[in-house]
Amino acid sequence: MNKNLDERIYRVVDANLNRLKEGLRVVEDIRRYVFDDKALSIKIKILRHKANIDSSEFIKFRDSINDVLKPSISNELTRIDLQDIQIANIKRAQESARVLEECFKLIKIEYSEIFKSIRYELYAIEKEI
């Protein structure tokens, strides 16, 4: 992989690591504090920690100030209820896990497998919600 590609793909990885963990945290906190759902909260917490890989190489390429899609679109600003928030965030985490799974095929195949397993665990959690 050439240096230019490294920089671009690392930015994608950084953004999706954040998106994945943020989405998981939203659902984890709702399950924990609103529903007192210890079992599902623990499952989600374990997944969040499973996604906690060394990101020191990727964060160097973060450029959130110049992100061309930083402003929210209208459907991101509307949520009907807590169920809607949970599903939106589980979907966000699933999508991020897929992006990470694909990108890590170019960087570190072991990480690709980690994010693939996270994605499949998220499909099961979505059914539980």
Side-chain angles (χ1 to χ4, degrees), residues 11-21 95-96 99-100:
R11 186 171 173 210
V12 172
V13 168
D14 177 61
N16 280 280
L17 282 171
N18 287 332
R19 190 175 293 129
L20 172 65
K21 290 185 270 187
E95 292 164 0
S96 294
V99 172
L100 291 163

Side-chain angles (χ1 to χ4, degrees), residues 94-109:
Q94 289 167 350
E95 292 164 0
S96 294
R98 181 58 185 222
V99 172
L100 291 163
E101 175 187 343
E102 293 298 328
C103 288
F104 276 118
K105 289 176 182 176
L106 299 174
I107 302 168
K108 189 169 186 175
I109 196 69

Side-chain angles (χ1 to χ4, degrees), residues 35-128:
F35 296 103
D36 295 319
D37 186 343
K38 184 177 183 179
L40 199 48
S41 298
I42 288 171
K43 280 184 189 178
I44 296 166
K45 182 177 184 175
I46 289 168
L47 272 186
R48 194 167 43 78
H49 286 276
K50 188 175 183 179
N52 199 16
I53 62 168
D54 178 15
S55 60
S56 58
E57 275 305 302
F58 311 119
I59 198 168
K60 296 175 193 174
F61 300 98
R62 184 175 298 167
D63 187 12
S64 53
I65 300 298
N66 296 310
D67 184 342
V68 296
L69 288 180
K70 185 169 47 173
S72 297
I73 57 175
S74 60
N75 71 338
E76 293 174 323
L77 299 173
T78 305
R79 296 288 183 251
I80 298 166
D81 54 22
L82 287 174
Q83 181 74 1
D84 196 26
I85 292 171
Q86 291 177 92
I87 296 303
N89 279 280
I90 283 292
K91 292 290 188 195
R92 180 177 293 120
Q94 289 167 350
E95 292 164 0
S96 294
R98 181 58 185 222
V99 172
L100 291 163
E101 175 187 343
E102 293 298 328
C103 288
F104 276 118
K105 289 176 182 176
L106 299 174
I107 302 168
K108 189 169 186 175
I109 196 69
E110 301 84 25
Y111 286 175
S112 178
E113 289 299 317
I114 289 170
F115 291 103
K116 181 178 183 177
S117 72
I118 288 172
R119 182 167 54 88
Y120 279 96
E121 289 177 64
L122 285 168
Y123 294 149
I125 288 171
E126 181 181 13
K127 283 180 70 175
E128 288 185 58

